[in-house]
Amino acid sequence: MNMIQAINSAMDVMMARDPGVIVMGEDVGYFGGVFRATAGLQAKYGKTRVFDTPITEIGIIGVSIGMGAYGLRPVPEIQFADYIYPALDQLVSEAARLRYRSDGEFTAPITVRSPFGGGIFGGQTHSQSPEGIFTHVSGLKTVIPSTPYDAKGLLIAAIEDNDPTIFFEPKRIYNGPFNGNWDAPAANWSKHPAGEVPTGYYKIPLGKAAVVRSGEAVTMLAYGTMVHVCLQVVADTGIDAEIIDLRTLVPLDIEAIEESVKKTGRCLIVHEATRTGGFGAELSALVQERCFYHLEAPVERVTGFDTPYPHSLEWAYFPGPVRIGMALKKILKD
Amino acid sequence: MADAARSNLPPLALHVPEPKYRPGDTVDFSDVEVPPAGSARRPDTAEDARNFTDLVYTMVRVLDDENRAVGPWDPKLSPDTLRRMLRHMATVRAFDERMFRAQRQGKTSFYMKSMGEEAVAVPQAYALDADDMCFPSYRQQGLLIARGCPMVDMMNQIYSNRGDKLQGKQLPIMYSEKRFGFFSISGNLATQYPQAVGWAMASASRGDTRIAATWCGEGSTAEGDFHSALTFATVYRAPVIFNVVNNQWAISSFSGFAGAEATTFAARAVGYGIAGLRVDGNDALAVYAATLWAAERARTNAGPTLIEHFTYRAEGHSTSDDPTQYRSAGEPTAWPLGDPIRRLKDHLITLGEWSEERQAAMDKDVADEVKAAQKEAEKNGILGHGLLQSLDTLFDGVFEEMPWHLREQRAQMLAEETESGRPWDRKK
């Protein structure tokens, strides 16, 4: 399966298991979503469980919260993560705090799916990585898969979770892993072990990172598309890096990070989102606080730039193998 | 700036609304259109919303100038029901009075009265079923009072004391009472609107029979949430009642800043194809009748209704507000729709079912009840006496299960407290 099919399969499995699971969003019904992630679900589960919505993100999230408060498990789709901003108040002030402010009388067990990230010539409005906004909010969980297998297992866990979850799907690797070079097509997941996805139910717990490559020289912390770019850099340079796919940013698997950095003594953080105030800053601070006496070089960050995502120059913006390779060389210099 | 070539065009002018009266002005509300009681027709609840758009520009009124109930909207409630309703409205006023004073005495940080608007929430609680779900704003405590929520519980919340089941996590009056079908109140305005629609849609999708109702002020109809909610509600024909409490003032901004100069708030419904009613919000019978009508419409899958309750906020916005700074002191008494409690009382007297003596006795009774509840609640402490919550509850409920970073921060906070030499109670 590719990642879209895996995500579709996760919703299929959960809709079959739980009549409270509702899928809604712009174009998700009859058409099956602009990325086809919800294809076939309406035909299978009916129009009252899988339906199109008006183009109002505040409405989509606000309505989902109400449905969640009723006792359903809505899985709303925001067509592109760039369009999540109109819904920000409902997510930040409402979904995130509902449990806290009502002492658990009301909860918002919603899973907001949204394709995110660049590398598809999407310009400023189809390329952003807004995860840092959500990791900053108390009460939200943020999940970002990097493989079809993980995507399905994590999405099932998110739907079953009783807290509101932001589930960002790295659309650049929807169809296959990607090496980070602008002129390279995405590979095909069918030839990749992580493309082997069981059709039935399984889940990957939120808050558990994956060590996707063991190594001794440096720890690379990444998620989503960047996991694959990091793997490419390691293949190209032969550096014996340990690559950790964080999978969920909140809750974060701090043990996996600590264990790895204490072993390697060096840490490179890679994400596509803009740099200032990004999640990489949080990771860098955590590593510094917890592993300082084990560090042999300053913690480095490779990120997107602090500009809007440019259209024609997107590959200059994208943190590709060259930028990551330069940072690795700098870290390993001493 | 306009260039010289176009200088023969008349200059454009920006209109900035201004209320008619400011502090010191003499008030004259004679231009407020108040149609005669009984003059608004009552369509069948199954009627297409487009067939009675006239009702969004007039006003459903039942009580006439002689305090009689007249016209097609007269709900013909029994005297017993009317007396209970009156008592609940009086209770809200007495409750407000005491809690307002409690705030002034430093017993809590904040309070909001609904003086002058008691006919909005209380009769609506009577018209809705007990298990219909309410998504209120902050001035509908009448729902809780009428649905039988113990006043002690409400006061515990206001005092953020040991009896506050919300553990002092919410601003006073931001109740959450699931057992009384009362959704957790948010301070962000109109966010409850799409949530109510979602709840109603969920109820419909599960073949339930319960409906949802939600409230916002006229000022917050400007919020995007309001319009998103109406769009969703009309698209899916959600069984929901939208209430816009037009009390004329959003803190210091008069209703003109939400568009009242151009049209009515009930007319917002027209563009969405939603049934709209404009109701005399100080007329308990009209409010009851309109709500019952809207509830029947929702319950029979005929769709949502928007009700504008035309009323007046007789007091400040909150204990942090001083209305004498921005409006004429004469407004509340000059308001042409009168006092909602007095109107219902006079109606009962006209019916021969009540008297000034009984009213006075009831008022005393209600005041005693509120006083007793306050005494009881204060046994659990008051906010003014310091922090009464167990310290470690601060981290409860952020997530269902506490992740490591919150456990660490909690440990840090407890260590800090120990270090301070004045440790608070720990959770039992």
Side-chain angles (χ1 to χ4, degrees):
Chain A
M1 284 187 202
N2 64 24
M3 193 183 288
I4 295 168
Q5 292 161 333
I7 285 163
N8 182 280
S9 175
M11 286 186 274
D12 190 0
V13 165
M14 289 310 292
M15 293 194 84
R17 284 168 73 98
D18 180 353
V21 176
I22 296 263
V23 168
M24 58 191 277
E26 294 156 24
D27 305 305
V28 303
Y30 183 85
F31 177 52
V34 293
F35 289 101
R36 318 298 299 139
T38 55
L41 295 178
Q42 187 180 73
K44 197 163 173 184
Y45 298 103
K47 284 199 296 187
T48 59
R49 290 186 65 198
V50 183
F51 52 84
D52 295 332
T53 60
I55 305 174
T56 160
E57 287 78 11
I58 313 174
I60 293 169
I61 301 301
V63 161
S64 297
I65 292 168
M67 288 181 160
Y70 178 91
L72 305 186
R73 287 189 185 277
V75 187
E77 176 181 297
I78 300 295
Q79 203 159 66
F80 285 88
D82 311 71
Y83 306 150
I84 211 163
Y85 302 116
L88 213 55
D89 185 46
Q90 284 287 347
L91 287 167
V92 171
S93 311
E94 302 296 318
R97 298 186 205 152
L98 190 53
R99 176 190 297 280
Y100 192 76
R101 78 178 196 219
S102 70
D103 195 40
E105 276 197 343
F106 300 99
T107 58
I110 68 176
T111 304
V112 183
R113 286 184 43 248
S114 193
F116 90 126
I120 58 148
F121 279 104
Q124 294 176 24
T125 54
H126 299 77
S127 306
Q128 292 166 79
S129 299
E131 67 272 18
I133 291 170
F134 297 102
T135 57
H136 191 59
V137 176
S138 312
L140 292 178
K141 292 179 175 172
T142 303
V143 180
I144 298 169
S146 72
T147 67
Y149 182 86
D150 281 8
K152 180 171 175 181
L154 288 166
L155 183 54
I156 286 175
I159 294 171
E160 283 190 347
D161 197 277
N162 290 324
D163 293 314
T165 303
I166 312 292
F167 192 88
F168 281 132
E169 300 165 4
K171 57 184 173 290
R172 178 69 218 192
I173 54 169
Y174 261 158
N175 293 310
F178 167 64
N179 70 10
N181 291 298
W182 67 273
D183 50 354
N188 192 328
W189 280 115
S190 64
K191 299 185 186 74
H192 196 284
E196 291 287 319
V197 178
T199 52
Y201 172 94
Y202 68 96
K203 66 176 170 177
I204 295 175
L206 307 184
K208 284 280 170 230
V211 179
V212 295
R213 184 191 186 280
S214 294
E216 301 293 330
V218 55
T219 297
M220 298 173 83
L221 302 179
Y223 48 88
T225 305
M226 287 300 139
V227 172
H228 300 275
V229 182
C230 289
L231 279 163
Q232 184 64 40
V233 175
V234 169
D236 290 347
T237 60
I239 291 167
D240 185 23
E242 179 145 302
I243 301 174
I244 295 184
D245 175 0
L246 297 176
R247 297 204 286 206
T248 67
L249 306 189
V250 177
L252 183 69
D253 189 347
I254 191 68
E255 282 175 25
I257 295 170
E258 260 188 80
E259 193 183 322
S260 177
V261 175
K262 284 178 180 170
K263 180 179 75 173
T264 64
R266 295 168 206 268
C267 182
L268 177 68
I269 296 154
V270 185
H271 66 55
E272 199 183 325
T274 49
R275 186 181 187 85
T276 303
F279 192 67
E282 176 63 24
L283 289 171
S284 174
L286 284 168
V287 168
Q288 186 274 136
E289 283 165 3
R290 286 158 189 265
C291 308
F292 182 78
Y293 295 107
H294 299 266
L295 287 173
E296 292 166 38
V299 177
E300 283 284 327
R301 282 181 287 164
V302 171
T303 69
F305 298 127
D306 287 345
T307 67
Y309 216 108
H311 181 228
S312 64
L313 294 177
E314 77 168 6
W315 290 109
Y317 178 97
F318 192 87
V322 175
R323 197 178 308 160
I324 298 170
M326 286 168 69
L328 277 178
K329 275 182 213 143
K330 188 177 167 197
I331 287 187
L332 293 167
K333 190 171 66 199
D334 302 319
Chain B
M1 293 299 283
D3 59 43
R6 301 179 63 193
S7 60
N8 62 332
L9 291 173
L12 295 167
L14 180 68
H15 171 68
V16 179
E18 181 64 24
K20 280 183 297 212
Y21 310 109
R22 288 298 194 187
D25 292 344
T26 304
V27 174
D28 175 10
F29 279 131
S30 58
D31 63 325
V32 175
E33 279 182 54
V34 181
S39 60
R41 66 199 179 92
R42 184 185 183 282
D44 190 274
T45 55
E47 190 76 61
D48 189 310
R50 279 172 294 195
N51 296 347
F52 53 93
T53 52
D54 54 313
L55 291 179
V56 306
Y57 300 111
T58 178
M59 213 183 280
V60 172
R61 304 181 72 230
V62 172
L63 292 173
D64 71 8
D65 296 342
E66 277 75 52
N67 308 310
R68 293 169 309 191
V70 296
W73 289 91
D74 176 9
K76 300 193 165 50
L77 292 171
S78 73
D80 269 349
T81 305
L82 292 175
R83 277 188 292 260
R84 279 193 292 128
M85 210 183 261
L86 179 68
R87 187 183 179 96
H88 279 140
M89 286 164 63
T91 305
V92 171
R93 187 165 291 185
F95 186 94
D96 276 359
E97 207 43 57
R98 263 213 172 252
M99 289 297 99
F100 185 89
R101 229 179 317 145
Q103 192 276 341
R104 288 294 188 249
Q105 291 164 345
K107 291 176 175 179
T108 188
S109 58
F110 181 77
Y111 192 73
M112 297 178 108
K113 293 171 105 171
S114 54
M115 176 97 171
E117 301 173 37
E118 292 90 345
V120 176
V122 169
Q124 295 198 275
Y126 280 73
L128 295 168
D129 282 355
D131 56 358
D132 289 335
M133 188 68 190
C134 297
F135 289 76
S137 173
Y138 43 70
R139 234 181 281 279
Q140 282 80 48
Q141 68 271 50
L143 294 169
L144 286 176
I145 301 260
R147 282 183 165 183
C149 180
M151 283 189 281
V152 178
D153 293 350
M154 296 169 70
M155 290 171 174
N156 285 338
Q157 199 280 325
I158 291 164
Y159 287 140
S160 283
N161 65 18
R162 284 182 292 270
D164 174 14
K165 70 185 165 89
L166 303 183
Q167 302 173 319
K169 286 169 175 164
Q170 267 282 42
L171 199 65
I173 63 108
M174 302 275 183
Y175 312 104
S176 179
E177 285 291 358
K178 193 174 189 179
R179 62 200 164 134
F180 296 106
F182 191 97
F183 192 71
S184 153
I185 294 177
S186 176
N188 289 30
L189 300 180
T191 52
Q192 69 276 14
Y193 252 59
Q195 293 164 7
V197 175
W199 196 97
M201 286 173 65
S203 183
S205 81
R206 299 312 292 267
D208 201 338
T209 57
R210 293 175 294 165
I211 63 170
T214 185
W215 287 258
C216 76
E218 88 284 350
S220 43
T221 59
E223 293 281 7
D225 301 64
F226 175 85
H227 301 276
S228 294
L230 266 60
T231 302
F232 261 83
T234 191
V235 167
Y236 304 101
R237 219 172 290 166
V240 62
I241 303 172
F242 297 114
N243 296 285
V244 174
V245 184
N246 178 5
N247 68 9
Q248 316 299 323
W249 291 95
I251 308 188
S252 72
S253 300
F254 85 117
S255 56
F257 284 100
E261 289 179 336
T263 185
T264 69
F265 292 97
R268 298 279 187 276
V270 174
Y272 293 96
I274 288 176
L277 296 174
R278 192 157 176 266
V279 175
D280 176 349
N282 289 11
D283 177 343
L285 296 183
V287 171
Y288 174 90
T291 309
L292 195 70
W293 185 92
E296 183 178 308
R297 196 170 163 87
R299 234 180 281 283
T300 52
N301 288 308
T305 301
L306 187 154
I307 306 174
E308 174 185 350
H309 303 265
F310 195 73
T311 181
Y312 189 86
R313 193 194 76 206
E315 287 272 8
H317 167 71
S318 74
T319 46
S320 308
D321 175 40
D322 176 6
T324 66
Q325 298 297 308
Y326 53 81
R327 71 184 187 192
S328 168
E331 283 199 23
T333 41
W335 186 243
L337 297 179
D339 178 285
I341 293 180
R342 188 188 52 70
R343 283 175 70 190
L344 184 56
K345 177 200 75 175
D346 290 346
H347 172 58
L348 270 163
I349 292 173
T350 304
L351 291 177
E353 295 286 347
W354 198 240
S355 67
E356 294 291 354
E357 295 71 38
R358 290 176 77 180
Q359 178 80 12
M362 181 194 77
D363 280 344
K364 184 177 179 312
D365 226 31
V366 160
D368 288 347
E369 252 178 62
V370 173
K371 195 173 163 186
Q374 185 188 25
K375 220 171 148 188
E376 197 59 32
E378 289 183 3
K379 285 182 189 164
N380 296 319
I382 55 171
L383 184 63
H385 285 176
L387 302 166
L388 297 163
Q389 306 302 324
S390 300
L391 195 55
D392 30 11
T393 59
L394 191 146
F395 290 89
D396 291 347
V398 179
F399 295 105
E400 186 175 36
E401 284 170 38
M402 199 179 295
W404 66 269
H405 63 287
L406 291 177
R407 288 198 306 272
E408 279 193 5
Q409 289 169 28
R410 184 179 61 177
Q412 184 197 345
M413 178 192 68
L414 294 175
E416 177 187 318
E417 197 48 30
T418 305
E419 178 76 17
S420 76
R422 43 178 176 77
W424 289 332
D425 284 351
R426 296 291 189 263
K427 192 163 56 176
K428 300 295 178 289

